[in-house]
Amino acid sequence: MTTMNQQTESRWQMASRRSRTIVESARTRAVLSLGLVLGLGVFGTMAVWSDTAKATSGTFSTGTVNLQVNNTKSFPFTNLTLTGMLPGESRAATLQVQNKGTIPLTYTMTATTPATSPALAGYLEVTVFPGAAPTNVTTNGMRIGGCAGAPVGQARLTAAGSVNVITGTRSLAGTSGIDNLCFVTKLVNATPRTVQSQTLNFITFTFSATTL
Amino acid sequence: MKSLRWWSLAVTAVAAVAALAFASAQQTGALWSQSATISDATINSGTLSLRVGDSGSQSRDFLLSAFGATNLTQNAVVQKPLTVKNAGNVDMKYRLQSVSQSSPDLPLTLKVWIVSSAAGCPAAAEPAGTPLYSGAMFGAQAPAAPAWAPVLPPGDTAVWCLRATVGPTATPNTSATVTLNYLANS
C-alpha cells in the first residue's frame, strides 16, 4: 500500500513538473507572441512614405588671371634706355598692360633697382602717363622725353630698393582689357656730380593684379 | 502513459478554447446589431510627391542652371531661389537631406533660408532672419535631422533661398556643380 502511495505521489510530482514545464513554455510563447505583436506594431509606426527630389546647380567656376605686358609675362623694355644722361634729360617709351585672364582686375606697379645699383639710381625719377604716344626730342642739346596727359604715377627710384609708382586703381576688363602706358625716366636736375659716369643696368617694373 | 497525458492536456486546451469561443459567440449574439451598406464606396491611398524647381516648373530631378556662375573669384556670391512643392495630396514634412559636389577643388559654402517669395531672395543681399543652414556646401543638411522644415500642405510651395559663396582659398580655373537632395516623409 505504501509502495502504491509512493508511486502515485511520484506520478503526481512528475505530472506537476510537466505541467509547470508546459505552463512555462506557454508563458514563454505568449511573451514571444506579444513581442512579435509589439515588434510589428513598432514597425508599423515607422512605415512612413517617403519621396525624394533633387536640384542640380549650374556650374560654379572661378575665372582665370593672366596679366601680361606687350603680350608676354616678362618684357625687355629696351626703349626706355638712355646713355650718357645729363641732369634734366629724360627718355619716354610706351608699353601696354594686358588682362588676358577672364576676371576683371585692377593693378598697381612698383619699380625696383638691382642690389648692386649705384647711387645714380636714387636720382632717377619715373613718371607714368596714360596713352601710347611718347615723344623724344632734342632741344638745345638736351634730350627730352614726354607723354601727354596727367600722370597716373610718379616716384623717385631707390638704389637697391623698390618704390611704388602706380598706386591708384588701374582697371582692366576681363579677357581683353588693355591699358597703354607712357613712361618717362628722367635724371633729376639736382643730380650731383658724384654720380656721374655711373650706370644703372636695368629697372624692373612689376605689375601686380588684384581681381575685382 | 505519456501519450495519454499529452492527449489529456490537449483535449483540455481545446475544450478551453471552445469554451472561450462559445462564450464570445454568446456575447456577440446577445447584442443588437445593425448594418448599412455604402454603395460605390471608394478608399484611396494618399500620394506623397516632392518636387523642386524654379517658380515656373518643378520636377523630381531639376536642373537649376541659374544657381551657378562663371569667372567667379574668391568670396564671390551666387544667390538664387529654389521652389519646393508638395505635389501630392497628403501633408509633407521635408528637409534638404544632403548636398553633394562634383569636385572638391572649388571650396564653396552654403547658406539657406525659407523666404516668403522669390522676391525675398535677391541676387546679392542676404534675406532677413537666421539662415536655416550656414556651413560647408558639401554635406549640408537643413534643417539638421531629426528636424524637418515646416510641414507643406498638399499643393503648396515653399521658396528656399540658396546662397553659395566661393571660399577664400579658391584657385583660378576650377569648377564644380552641386546637387541638392531633398527628402520628404508623410
Side-chain angles (χ1 to χ4, degrees):
Chain A
M1 188 64 180
T2 305
T3 307
M4 279 187 66
N5 286 342
Q6 286 175 343
Q7 284 177 348
T8 304
E9 186 181 347
S10 176
R11 281 175 194 150
W12 275 109
Q13 286 172 347
M14 287 176 65
S16 175
R17 278 200 300 274
R18 282 188 187 128
S19 177
R20 278 202 302 273
T21 305
I22 290 166
V23 168
E24 282 170 7
S25 175
R27 281 180 185 160
T28 305
R29 285 178 191 145
V31 169
L32 287 174
S33 300
L34 186 61
L36 180 61
V37 170
L38 287 174
L40 286 171
V42 171
F43 184 74
T45 303
M46 293 174 66
V48 295
W49 286 333
S50 66
D51 194 15
T52 59
K54 66 178 180 180
T56 303
S57 74
T59 300
F60 293 90
S61 63
T62 52
T64 57
V65 178
N66 186 2
L67 185 64
Q68 294 191 10
V69 176
N70 285 7
N71 298 310
T72 182
K73 299 297 285 184
S74 182
F75 177 71
F77 200 10
T78 52
N79 280 346
L80 199 64
T81 301
L82 194 62
T83 58
M85 293 180 80
L86 296 173
E89 283 193 317
S90 58
R91 173 72 180 175
T94 186
L95 57 72
Q96 187 178 74
V97 184
Q98 304 156 327
N99 180 7
K100 299 209 172 187
T102 60
I103 305 175
L105 52 83
T106 62
Y107 72 88
T108 58
M109 190 199 81
T110 61
T112 306
T113 56
T116 56
S117 297
L120 169 68
Y123 297 94
L124 286 170
E125 184 179 74
V126 175
T127 308
V128 183
F129 299 81
T135 57
N136 288 287
V137 297
T138 300
T139 304
N140 298 326
M142 293 288 285
R143 296 166 294 179
I144 305 296
C147 301
V152 296
Q154 186 180 60
R156 183 96 161 252
L157 301 184
T158 298
S162 181
V163 295
N164 297 318
V165 181
I166 298 176
T167 56
T169 53
R170 300 290 293 176
S171 299
L172 289 175
T175 307
S176 58
I178 59 169
D179 196 13
N180 292 309
L181 297 177
C182 186
F183 285 67
V184 175
T185 302
K186 179 182 179 182
L187 187 61
V188 298
N189 294 335
T191 302
R193 291 184 61 188
T194 53
V195 299
Q196 65 182 342
S197 298
Q198 292 185 350
T199 300
L200 177 64
N201 289 321
F202 60 89
I203 306 166
T204 302
F205 298 108
T206 303
F207 298 83
S208 300
T210 302
T211 56
L212 295 176
Chain B
M1 283 297 282
K2 286 180 180 176
S3 175
L4 185 61
R5 286 195 193 96
W6 275 106
W7 272 109
S8 173
L9 283 168
V11 167
T12 304
V14 169
V17 169
L20 283 172
F22 179 73
S24 175
Q26 284 297 305
Q27 191 174 20
T28 303
L31 292 173
W32 287 336
S33 67
Q34 191 175 28
S35 64
T37 304
I38 303 170
S39 60
D40 298 331
T42 304
I43 298 173
N44 287 330
S45 57
T47 304
L48 179 69
S49 180
L50 170 66
R51 298 289 184 266
V52 294
D54 56 22
S55 58
S57 65
Q58 302 84 38
S59 66
R60 188 183 295 274
D61 186 355
F62 190 83
L63 176 59
L64 190 64
S65 54
F67 189 47
T70 57
N71 292 330
L72 294 168
T73 58
Q74 298 102 320
N75 304 313
V77 170
V78 179
Q79 184 167 293
K80 294 292 175 188
L82 172 75
T83 299
V84 179
K85 182 173 185 177
N86 181 354
N89 54 19
V90 295
D91 281 353
M92 182 180 81
K93 54 186 180 182
Y94 71 103
R95 74 167 73 92
L96 173 59
Q97 183 67 11
S98 65
V99 178
S100 59
Q101 196 169 320
S102 64
S103 167
D105 294 341
L106 182 62
L108 291 170
T109 58
L110 176 69
K111 282 186 178 180
V112 295
W113 294 261
I114 296 179
V115 295
S116 57
S117 67
C121 186
E126 287 190 3
T130 306
L132 209 57
Y133 173 83
S134 178
M137 176 71 79
F138 182 80
Q141 187 177 73
W148 299 93
V151 169
L152 209 53
D156 276 14
T157 58
V159 178
W160 285 52
C161 189
L162 311 172
R163 182 182 182 89
T165 304
V166 179
T169 59
T171 54
N173 208 23
T174 55
S175 63
T177 59
V178 299
T179 301
L180 299 102
N181 302 294
Y182 279 83
L183 170 68
N185 273 2
S186 58

